[in-house]
Amino acid sequence: MAKFLDLDELSDDERMLKEEVHRFAKEVIRPASIELDRMPPEERIKPDSPYFEVVKQMKKLGYHKMLLPEDMGGLGLSPLQISIVFEELAWGSLGFATSLGVDMIPFSCAALFGLPELYEEVVVPWLEDDKGKYHGCWCVTEPAHGSDYELFLRDENVDKYGKPDITAEKDGDEWVITGQKSAWVSSAPVATHGGVHVPIKGAKRLSDAIFCIVPLDEKHGVKKGKPSDMLGMRDDPQGELFFDNVRIPEHYVVVAPGPFYGIFCDQLVCMTSCGMGAYGVGLARAAFEEALNYARQRVQGGEPLIKHKNIKLKLYEMFEKIETARYYVRKVSEHVFSRMTRRTNDASPRHAKTAQIYGKRIAFEVAHEALQIFGAYGLSKEFIIEKLFRDARCMIIEDFTLEVLGLEVAADVIDNYEKDYYDVEHINRLYSG
Ligand SMILES: Cc1cc2nc3c(=O)[nH]c(=O)nc-3n(C[C@H](O)[C@H](O)[C@H](O)COP(=O)(O)OP(=O)(O)OC[C@H]3O[C@@H](n4cnc5c(N)ncnc54)[C@H](O)[C@@H]3O)c2cc1C
């Protein structure tokens, strides 16, 4: 394993965890991800696809339980341990790291924010799953609303956004959901449950909404679109979901309409941002290591590439980006995950989103420079660097674009810089209006 500074800083337990996950990423995840990357989308979701074997092994290792404290049946990992697992998995494959991330969202949110009946009915079987029977996905964006779903959180004038493509209506003690989510929902083609954001029927704003758990079951009215054929992240399938009068019981609603919905969305994005930031570090490290090894071997101008000054500087800049991003992401993860376990709902979105932006940006920059070091070989399928580059390109759109996340942080900093880093009152004011 590469000699980054963190190896000196980790305790024996943390180092062992890092080595265990790295071994799994190298021996199991990476070979399967390369195979999946080259398969047509429909083949990737057939029962004999290598995707399911990797997911099964991940479940056996219990990584899906890592966000939850032990008293909720989770692994009770520390924020640093969570960050280590995310980084190592993404070193192996951004697609599989994303697959695990979106699997955890509905069930972990149900455990942390939902009712005890929902925990018993849905979360417990998922926690106990060691065969890959259950798989979650996070259904946010819609055909007509991508970035809107990030921007609505602080925009006082969301009426201009137009109608949602999906709505929910209360009918007795059930909710009825109709509409669709975008073709980009990660893991949707293979998921059994969605954590779905649904505006309520007739609502003026996207934020008058519920967050609920929906079993993605055809007999209850859910249809899945074909898996999308994307440039990168092909090792985790993305696809549309259609909801035709899908009925869910009241207790499947994790967050009801009202002021808490905005706070919940902020806190959820804080958690996903820590994941994305660590994924960025892992992907950047994978690209850096490929470039370093290649530059040691490739001879041009009579000597290995590493002897040329421009290559040395490129490698230094990559190293600098990875080291600094890792430290910022870990610091923010400590802030966010410790608050998540205590359920104080006051983690700082501006810092969490900055960690996400920084991790994703350096992943793209490092993968871009790493490919340049390979010359034309970097463009051929012979080397993994072209896959890492395509994945990094997708990453700066996945989970909201760098630009829109940046605009959100800017708005928060400009309006609230002198206040506490999380202004609950401001969000309450927006959502009670
Ligand atoms: C690999 C991958 C995985 C994904 N996984 C999921 C998932 O699991 N669940 C899910 O729900 N979605 C998922 N998405 C969707 C993703 O969140 C959206 O693609 C992203 O938020 C951007 O939305 P959009 O594609 O509709 O682009 P648009 O919102 O149409 O944006 C187009 C361009 O305009 C810019 N822009 C948009 N609005 C503004 C504005 N108001 N001001 C300035 N600039 C603006 C954007 O930065 C972008 O460059 C995934 C996407 C990818 C690529």
Side-chain angles (χ1 to χ4, degrees):
M1 204 178 291
K3 295 290 173 205
F4 285 91
L5 189 57
D6 68 335
L7 283 181
D8 292 333
E9 291 205 322
L10 301 182
S11 68
D12 286 349
D13 281 355
E14 290 155 354
R15 184 191 276 254
M16 269 165 56
L17 177 73
K18 188 176 167 96
E19 283 169 1
E20 174 204 295
V21 186
H22 187 76
R23 206 166 31 249
F24 180 67
K26 188 174 173 183
E27 291 169 8
V28 179
I29 292 188
R30 200 178 257 191
S33 82
I34 293 170
E35 202 182 333
L36 285 159
D37 181 55
R38 294 174 186 176
M39 287 165 68
E42 283 86 357
E43 296 290 315
R44 289 186 263 135
I45 60 165
K46 286 192 173 158
D48 61 349
S49 160
Y51 182 84
F52 297 104
E53 183 50 35
V54 175
V55 168
K56 192 170 143 189
Q57 290 198 42
M58 271 206 274
K59 292 273 175 182
K60 235 184 212 144
L61 289 162
Y63 296 151
H64 62 294
K65 299 185 252 190
M66 73 177 166
L67 294 183
L68 294 179
E70 278 173 303
D71 63 358
M72 285 190 163
L75 297 185
L77 295 191
S78 69
L80 174 58
Q81 288 172 321
I82 293 173
S83 217
I84 288 171
V85 177
F86 280 148
E87 181 183 328
E88 294 312 312
L89 292 178
W91 178 93
S93 145
L94 177 63
F96 276 111
T98 299
S99 164
L100 175 75
V102 295
D103 176 32
M104 292 192 290
I105 289 175
F107 301 100
S108 304
C109 289
L112 290 165
F113 300 97
L115 293 168
E117 302 100 280
L118 182 61
Y119 179 83
E120 288 304 323
E121 228 172 286
V122 170
V123 183
V124 171
W126 172 79
L127 285 168
E128 289 171 353
D129 181 18
D130 61 0
K131 300 207 164 42
K133 210 168 146 196
Y134 303 104
H135 194 111
C137 64
W138 186 28
C139 314
V140 191
T141 56
E142 298 162 15
H145 300 287
S147 304
D148 289 355
Y149 264 97
E150 169 62 17
L151 292 157
F152 80 76
L153 274 169
R154 276 176 186 74
D155 195 338
E156 307 209 12
N157 185 19
V158 282
D159 298 4
K160 66 183 183 216
Y161 290 18
K163 288 198 168 139
D165 298 315
I166 184 167
T167 55
E169 192 174 12
K170 188 96 191 283
D171 182 22
D173 54 5
E174 291 182 322
W175 283 83
V176 186
I177 300 168
T178 301
Q180 78 174 94
K181 287 290 178 183
S182 78
W184 326 127
V185 176
S186 297
S187 288
V190 295
T192 57
H193 292 75
V196 192
H197 295 259
V198 196
I200 44 180
K201 200 168 180 182
K204 288 220 177 85
R205 305 141 52 102
L206 290 180
S207 51
D208 292 331
I210 57 173
F211 176 78
C212 57
I213 304 300
V214 182
L216 302 174
D217 194 333
E218 209 163 319
K219 67 178 187 285
H220 291 116
V222 178
K223 260 194 161 164
K224 292 176 177 177
K226 283 187 178 167
S228 302
D229 201 359
M230 307 289 272
L231 171 80
M233 290 189 63
R234 296 170 61 82
D235 29 13
D236 182 45
Q238 299 89 22
E240 268 164 317
L241 290 167
F242 301 92
F243 301 79
D244 181 11
N245 284 306
V246 176
R247 288 182 172 269
I248 53 162
E250 174 99 62
H251 64 279
Y252 276 47
V253 172
V254 177
V255 183
F260 186 68
Y261 182 74
I263 294 170
F264 166 76
C265 290
D266 266 342
Q267 297 305 303
L268 178 52
V269 171
C270 284
M271 287 196 258
T272 58
S273 291
C274 293
M276 293 304 290
Y279 293 172
V281 176
L283 175 51
R285 207 181 94 214
F288 169 78
E289 288 170 8
E290 291 301 318
L292 177 63
N293 291 336
Y294 184 82
R296 281 177 173 150
Q297 285 158 28
R298 173 77 171 165
V299 174
Q300 286 298 288
E303 41 187 11
L305 293 182
I306 41 157
K307 296 280 179 196
H308 300 302
K309 231 181 225 168
N310 59 324
I311 304 288
K312 280 186 191 174
L313 279 177
K314 267 193 209 303
L315 289 167
Y316 163 68
E317 280 164 14
M318 291 179 194
F319 178 77
E320 176 195 275
K321 284 173 181 167
I322 295 164
E323 286 285 299
T324 52
R326 179 186 294 114
Y327 277 86
Y328 186 65
V329 168
R330 283 189 182 171
K331 190 75 205 152
V332 171
S333 298
E334 205 179 300
H335 165 87
V336 169
F337 290 125
S338 58
R339 277 165 176 76
M340 183 186 79
T341 321
R342 295 200 304 270
R343 277 160 268 172
T344 52
N345 298 318
D346 60 349
S348 167
R350 80 178 74 132
H351 292 94
K353 285 176 196 172
T354 301
Q356 168 167 189
I357 294 169
Y358 192 43
K360 292 200 309 197
R361 190 197 295 134
I362 67 109
F364 178 67
E365 289 172 354
V366 169
H368 181 260
E369 290 298 350
L371 190 148
Q372 192 70 7
I373 290 178
F374 275 75
Y377 286 105
L379 303 171
S380 80
K381 299 262 180 217
E382 199 180 321
F383 293 94
I384 194 178
I385 194 66
E386 67 84 37
K387 175 184 184 293
L388 298 177
F389 175 71
R390 284 185 285 110
D391 289 349
R393 185 63 189 83
C394 289
M395 198 186 194
I396 58 176
I397 294 178
E398 178 193 12
D399 214 353
F400 305 117
T401 64
L402 285 192
E403 300 90 321
V404 163
L405 286 166
L407 284 171
E408 277 291 89
V409 175
D412 188 19
V413 169
I414 291 164
D415 293 346
N416 303 310
Y417 184 70
E418 286 78 15
K419 298 181 196 152
D420 275 351
Y421 46 67
Y422 191 48
D423 188 1
V424 177
E425 275 176 24
H426 174 68
I427 294 288
N428 270 336
R429 253 192 327 275
L430 268 179
Y431 284 79
S432 347

